[in-house]
Amino acid sequence: MINNSFIRSIPDDALLTPADISNITGLSTRQIRRYCEKGQLRSYCFGRKYVIYGVDFKSYMKESLVCHRTFKELLN
C-alpha cells in the first residue's frame, strides 16, 4: 500500500528517477520508463535517462486515484 502522507512529503522540486518511483510504488522500473515514454508520466529524457519532478509524480498519482463507489451511488 502506498502511503499518501509520504507522497505529499516529496518536495515539488525533487528530481526522481524511474528507480525511485519504482521503490515508492512497487511497480517495475521498466513500467515506469514505459509511462515516461508514452507521456503518461511527465518526465524529461536525457539520452536514455529519465528524470521526473516531484510535482509531476504527485500529479500523476492524484490523476490515477480510483474512487470506489457503489453502482447505486453512480445512478443517483
Side-chain angles (χ1 to χ4, degrees):
M1 187 80 173
I2 299 171
N3 186 336
N4 288 331
S5 62
F6 174 74
I7 291 175
R8 283 193 294 268
S9 72
I10 297 172
D12 288 346
D13 60 348
L15 292 176
L16 304 169
T17 64
D20 295 331
I21 294 175
S22 175
N23 290 333
I24 294 168
T25 62
L27 297 171
S28 71
T29 303
R30 182 67 196 126
Q31 186 65 45
I32 302 301
R33 288 178 57 82
R34 279 190 210 110
Y35 290 156
C36 294
E37 291 165 359
K38 291 179 180 180
Q40 293 175 296
L41 176 57
R42 186 174 178 193
S43 61
Y44 299 89
C45 183
F46 302 99
R48 293 178 43 92
K49 304 287 183 185
Y50 287 93
V51 175
I52 302 100
Y53 275 104
V55 67
D56 295 324
F57 172 61
K58 291 191 288 187
S59 175
Y60 175 78
M61 292 300 289
K62 186 176 180 182
E63 291 169 7
S64 299
L65 180 66
V66 176
C67 297
H68 298 283
R69 292 190 215 160
T70 65
F71 185 70
K72 190 175 184 179
E73 290 173 328
L74 292 172
L75 292 177
N76 291 329

